[in-house]
Amino acid sequence: MSGFLPDEPSAEVRASPNFGPRRDTLKPDMVVLHYTGMATGPGAEAWLCDPASEVSAHYLVHEDGRIVQMVRESDRAWHAGKSSWFGRTDINSCSVGIEIVNPGHSLGYPAFPRRQIDAVIGLCAGIVQRHFIPAQRVLAHSDVAPGRKIDPGEKFPWKALFAAGVGHLVPAAPVKRGAVLQAGDTGPDVEALQSMLAVYGYGVEISGVFDRQTGIVVEAFQRHFRPRLVDGVADGSTIRTLQRLLASAKAILSK
């Protein structure tokens, strides 16, 4: 693929060789947001277009708001890796991947510039409209690959996206002292927590045992929906926020 017309009118095109056809006749039904986790935007752009890297994304959004499209939305970019949502494991075949230039947690993790976020909002809005993607399926890389990935991280301004009509969010319940569910706990309360996370889409076994994977998934949920405290402990704030999110999703689906 030497070049193509961009799906997003405001995007520049720099074609990556790292792509293939979507499998099983799947079409995009979710958007997955990443950060690049590299020192510079140009370095990240070059890496995503390097055949040796074997990674890519449909889009890269630079800090100044410039958008680069690397893979057509009709094709399968290699951005999600080992991941799952609602039991589906080939996330690359059913998603549009957006890399957002930010060095990430290991390199200082600065705030995302407003002009960059404005560009992400416009880009997501266009993708959602083109493919009729539900608000609940605009997700973080950490949502579909909990534990393995933590991007775009707790500093990513999901509230700004939601205020602009992109994504799904509810007001997070206040963090207060009180009962918690944590590693080693067992019983029906843990099973109920795991069930709620699974109903929203997270990959977690419903065992009634608060094991390591449950803590990892709770942390991923917090990073997106309750970022004030990301510790993998299911306190009252986490549980109430999850309940609100499920109620909101149910209301949306019933319309």
Side-chain angles (χ1 to χ4, degrees):
M1 182 170 60
S2 59
F4 53 88
L5 291 175
D7 296 289
E8 175 60 37
S10 63
E12 306 171 16
V13 172
R14 180 176 178 180
S16 173
N18 304 330
F19 75 99
R22 294 185 183 274
R23 298 170 180 166
D24 301 322
T25 68
L26 292 172
K27 296 180 180 180
D29 65 7
M30 69 169 63
V31 177
V32 179
L33 302 183
H34 310 249
Y35 65 40
T36 54
M38 295 182 67
T40 70
E45 184 176 327
W47 182 242
L48 292 165
C49 293
D50 186 340
S53 73
E54 298 186 342
V55 295
S56 62
H58 293 91
Y59 295 97
L60 176 75
V61 182
H62 284 278
E63 293 156 316
D64 62 2
R66 185 165 53 92
I67 300 171
V68 179
Q69 184 170 5
M70 303 177 180
V71 176
R72 292 174 295 195
E73 291 176 11
S74 58
D75 288 321
R76 181 180 183 271
W78 305 341
H79 63 96
K82 185 179 180 181
S83 51
S84 70
W85 195 251
F86 276 115
R88 179 175 287 167
T89 55
D90 186 2
I91 298 300
N92 283 339
S93 284
C94 63
S95 64
V96 174
I98 301 174
E99 289 278 359
I100 303 163
V101 172
N102 186 291
H105 290 76
S106 63
L107 293 172
Y109 194 33
F112 295 84
R114 182 68 215 199
R115 56 187 173 180
Q116 183 182 47
I117 294 304
D118 287 342
V120 170
I121 289 170
L123 175 58
C124 286
I127 295 167
V128 164
Q129 184 177 37
R130 283 190 289 277
H131 301 285
F132 307 99
I133 295 173
Q136 304 94 297
R137 294 178 74 86
V138 179
L139 298 165
H141 198 189
S142 55
D143 291 320
V144 300
R148 191 176 67 82
K149 294 294 181 179
I150 59 173
D151 58 308
E154 63 279 359
K155 288 184 180 179
F156 187 75
W158 294 102
K159 286 183 179 180
L161 271 68
F162 183 68
V166 173
H168 185 215
L169 205 66
V170 295
V175 176
K176 298 179 180 179
R177 291 184 178 181
V180 301
L181 296 174
Q182 56 191 334
D185 287 344
T186 61
D189 289 343
V190 176
E191 185 175 343
L193 169 68
Q194 293 168 331
S195 296
M196 288 190 292
L197 289 165
V199 166
Y200 197 73
Y202 286 96
V204 60
E205 181 182 358
I206 303 170
S207 64
V209 178
F210 200 115
D211 55 9
R212 181 173 180 272
Q213 183 60 22
T214 299
I216 287 171
V217 172
V218 168
E219 184 175 311
F221 171 82
Q222 292 169 335
R223 203 175 295 279
H224 186 159
F225 297 104
R226 208 289 304 273
R228 180 179 172 185
L229 178 61
V230 180
D231 60 3
V233 173
D235 59 357
S237 168
T238 299
I239 294 170
R240 287 191 296 275
T241 303
L242 177 54
Q243 291 169 336
R244 291 177 181 178
L245 197 70
L246 287 170
S248 173
K250 184 177 180 180
I252 291 170
L253 291 172
S254 67
K255 290 181 179 179

